[in-house]
Structure formats: structure tokens, C-alpha cells
Amino acid sequence: MGFHFTSLLLTLLLFSTLYSKSSSETFKCSTPSTCHSLIDYISPNTTTFSHIKTLFSVKNIRSILAANNLPLSTLPNTTIPANQTIKISFPCLCINNTGQSNNEPIYTVQKDDGLYHIAAEVFSGLVTYPEIAAANNIPDVNLIKVGQKLKIPLPCNCDDVDGVKVVHYGHVVKAGSSLELIAQEYGTSKDTLLKLNGVNDSSLLAGQLLDVPLQACNSSVRSDSVDYPLLVANNTYFFTANNCVKCTCNAANNWTLQCEASGIKPSKLVNLPRNAM
Ligand SMILES: *[C@@H]1O[C@H](CO)[C@@H](O)[C@H](O)[C@H]1NC(C)=O
Ligand SMILES: *[C@@H]1O[C@H](CO)[C@@H](O)[C@H](O)[C@H]1NC(C)=O
Ligand SMILES: *[C@@H]1O[C@H](CO)[C@@H](O)[C@H](O)[C@H]1NC(C)=O
Ligand SMILES: *[C@@H]1O[C@H](CO)[C@@H](O)[C@H](O)[C@H]1NC(C)=O
Ligand SMILES: *[C@@H]1O[C@H](CO)[C@@H](O)[C@H](O)[C@H]1NC(C)=O
Ligand SMILES: *[C@@H]1O[C@H](CO)[C@@H](O)[C@H](O)[C@H]1NC(C)=O
Ligand SMILES: *[C@@H]1O[C@H](CO)[C@@H](O)[C@H](O)[C@H]1NC(C)=O
Ligand SMILES: *[C@@H]1O[C@H](CO)[C@@H](O)[C@H](O)[C@H]1NC(C)=O
């Protein structure tokens, strides 16, 4: 009895040790909450906005355009060259000290897919295969079925940073970059990046995912709105009120969100937030 219990404990310990190693890129977040987050996707092959929309289960291509501050007139079939970085906007859920995308993207298993291929290649290493297995309660990583729907748990975070509300951005480190350069480019400090990610320049690796807090603009969307708190990252725009309102953030407006009617017809009738406009 005692022996069995001990070996069970050892097995569990070993299991969880291996587990935390393979999920070294998950972001910690301490406050249970939801928010929206951004993450870099670098397609290994030539791709299009339509394809990225499908891959990441994004409802509208305009949310991808908005996250990248691209014109709304950009065509869905526009070619995106291999290795170009595209930011994806997605809903984040912080629970149990981990931030993960909230039930999306959903990936449908194709013929000849394996979990490793899906994690490392299709989603370019933004997740690991044990993370996909854990998120979908898959006991045997070698057993997945064609047509099976898999939740892909993208890392994210909703925590305030130094008491300030931010939009967390999963940034893929480029070769030859440094914490100082990344901090400069995204308006944060080396110290903040160091603390959030537990990395320093000697441990920084190209291709690594870093939690980068982006300064955001604030809104007056009322607190019971589904989009509350509406934080829009520097140099991006965002649709709210069922797409009726387009809100833009840039530093030039003193971090005040600039909102206007988007001209997009709502897909269904909703009550507009009282003071969204
Ligand atoms: C993209 O779609 C537009 C219309 O939807 C079409 O006119 C154009 O030829 C397409 N371009 C490519 C590269 O497929
Ligand atoms: C994309 O980047 C990878 C790794 O840096 C490189 O091996 C590959 O050749 C690049 N592909 C293209 C089309 O530039
Ligand atoms: C969070 O932790 C609790 C208690 O350990 C557990 O019951 C719950 O399933 C966990 N939730 C998620 C989403 O992992
Ligand atoms: C990229 O293209 C190669 C060659 O066509 C293919 O083997 C690979 O699966 C593609 N990768 C992705 C992520 O689609
Ligand atoms: C946004 O506004 C609320 C109240 O108006 C304030 O408490 C909060 O600190 C502001 N957030 C940011 C990021 O400025
Ligand atoms: C805001 O974004 C602009 C454009 O990308 C950039 O030049 C600026 O440094 C950013 N500022 C902050 C504080 O994030
Ligand atoms: C950088 O981080 C690595 C791994 O966490 C650690 O071993 C090393 O001592 C750190 N170096 C400095 C200069 O802090
Ligand atoms: C910008 O915001 C700060 C703090 O909210 C305020 O003190 C300052 O007057 C504002 N500047 C302008 C030009 O609106």
C-alpha cells in the first residue's frame, strides 16, 4: 500500500516536472479574469489573411487587419510572404495562474497530422504538443483522429503591469534582437520584460515567445459591456459594440481611445453600450 502510494507520487512528480519543462512558454497570470491579447504568427509558407482567419478561428478578417493596423480595404486573398510576422487578436482567460486563449482557436485534425506537427509547424511553435494534449484531455499523444476538433491553448496574460492596465502581446523574438531593443520598440522597459518573463539577454533565444506589455488606450465603454475593459493596444484599432464602433489607439491622442461609427452592419441586434461613441 505504502509502496504503491509512493510510486504513484513519484510518477506524478516526474510527470509534472516534464510537463512544466515542455510548457516553458506559458505565461503566468495571477488575477482570474478575461481580456483580449495579441500574439505573433510567423507562417513558414506563403499564406493569405483568409487562411490565417481559418487557422486561428478568427470571426472576421478585419480583427486581424486591426491588430496589425492595416487598412480595412485589404483583400482577404492578399498574399502574405513566408516568415512575415502577423499579429493575431484573441480572447484570453486567466485561471489557475496560467493565461490561455479562451476556447479558440479550434483546429480540425487533417489526414497525416500528428500533434507535434500541429504544434510545431502548423501553429509555428506558439504551443507545444503536450499543451494541446492537456487542453483537450488527450491521454495518448499518438492517438488523434482525422476530423477531431482540438482546442489550441495560446499563451496570454491579463494582469496589470506595475499597476497599469496593458494589452499583453506574445512577441516572437527575432534573431539578433535584445531585451533593450524589444523594450524600445514596444514602449516598455528591459526590467519589466526581465521580470515578466524571467529571461535575460544571455538566455534570450530567437524564436522564443516573450510576454510584452503594450501601453493601451482607455475607453468609456460601460463596465457591464462584454468588451469591458476595452483596452486597445498602441498603434492598433479594435471593433466593439458588435462591430458598430471602431476604436483606434495611438500615442498622439494622449492615450485616449478614439471611437467612431464603423459603418459595418451588425450581424445581430444588440444593445449598444450607452457611451461607446
Ligand atoms: C482576390 O480576390 C479579388 C476579388 O475578391 C480578385 O479580383 C483577385 O483577382 C483575387 N486575387 C488573387 C491574387 O487571387
Ligand atoms: C523562413 O525562416 C526560416 C528560419 O529562419 C528559414 O529557414 C527559411 O528559409 C525562411 N523561408 C523563407 C521563404 O524566407
Ligand atoms: C483550476 O484548478 C482547479 C483546482 O485545482 C481545477 O478544479 C480546475 O479544473 C482548474 N481549471 C482549469 C481551467 O485548469
Ligand atoms: C509548408 O509547405 C510545405 C511544402 O509544401 C509543407 O510540407 C508544409 O506542411 C507546409 N507547412 C505548413 C505549416 O502548412
Ligand atoms: C481607464 O479608466 C479608468 C476609469 O476611468 C481608470 O480607473 C483606469 O486606470 C484607466 N486605465 C488606463 C489604462 O488608463
Ligand atoms: C506606440 O507605437 C508607435 C508606432 O508603432 C511607436 O513608435 C511608439 O514607440 C509606441 N509607444 C509606446 C509608448 O508604446
Ligand atoms: C541569465 O539567465 C540564466 C538562466 O536563467 C542564468 O543562468 C544566468 O545567470 C543569467 N545571467 C545574468 C547575467 O543574469
Ligand atoms: C494628457 O493626459 C494627461 C494625464 O491624463 C493630462 O494631464 C494632460 O493634460 C493631457 N494632455 C493633453 C494635451 O490632453
Side-chain angles (χ1 to χ4, degrees), residues 27-37 92-95 97-99 156-169 192 196 211-214 231:
F27 295 170
K28 284 192 196 73
C29 71
S30 56
T31 319
S33 54
T34 58
C35 61
H36 52 262
S37 281
C92 177
L93 172 68
C94 286
I95 195 162
N97 290 314
T98 304
C156 57
N157 189 352
C158 297
D159 285 355
D160 293 359
V161 172
D162 297 329
V164 177
K165 294 205 181 316
V166 296
V167 172
H168 288 265
Y169 157 49
T192 301
L196 262 181
D211 183 352
V212 175
L214 299 180
L231 284 174

Side-chain angles (χ1 to χ4, degrees), residues 163-166 216-219 228 231 255:
V164 177
K165 294 205 181 316
V166 296
C217 294
N218 212 351
S219 79
Y228 180 80
L231 284 174
W255 302 105

Side-chain angles (χ1 to χ4, degrees), residues 180-197:
E180 193 57 57
L181 286 172
I182 297 167
Q184 259 172 35
E185 183 169 3
Y186 298 105
T188 181
S189 71
K190 184 175 172 172
D191 203 44
T192 301
L193 292 178
L194 210 136
K195 272 191 279 182
L196 262 181
N197 296 282

Side-chain angles (χ1 to χ4, degrees), residues 70-90:
L70 292 168
L72 267 178
S73 56
T74 309
L75 291 173
N77 60 3
T78 303
T79 300
I80 302 168
N83 287 347
Q84 185 172 319
T85 303
I86 297 291
K87 289 193 191 82
I88 312 292
S89 169
F90 65 96

Side-chain angles (χ1 to χ4, degrees), residues 72-143:
L72 267 178
S73 56
T74 309
L75 291 173
N77 60 3
T78 303
T79 300
I80 302 168
N83 287 347
Q84 185 172 319
T85 303
I86 297 291
K87 289 193 191 82
I88 312 292
S89 169
F90 65 96
C92 177
L93 172 68
C94 286
I95 195 162
N96 294 351
N97 290 314
T98 304
Q100 283 188 346
S101 53
N102 198 356
N103 289 318
E104 60 175 70
I106 303 288
Y107 177 79
T108 307
V109 175
Q110 312 288 306
K111 190 172 174 289
D112 298 331
D113 268 352
L115 277 189
Y116 177 82
H117 169 72
I118 295 168
E121 282 150 22
V122 179
F123 286 93
S124 66
L126 295 176
V127 287
T128 62
Y129 74 89
E131 284 164 4
I132 301 180
N136 296 277
N137 302 312
I138 295 173
D140 182 348
V141 294
N142 296 313
L143 276 183

Side-chain angles (χ1 to χ4, degrees), residues 2 17 22 24 27 44 51 56 72 75 77 81 85 91 120 124-125 143 146-147 156 161 186 208 220-221 257 267 272:
T17 311
S22 55
S24 58
F27 295 170
H51 181 251
F56 284 90
L72 267 178
L75 291 173
N77 60 3
T85 303
S124 66
L143 276 183
V146 174
C156 57
V161 172
Y186 298 105
Q208 181 175 6
S220 54
V221 169
L257 203 53
S267 50
L272 279 179

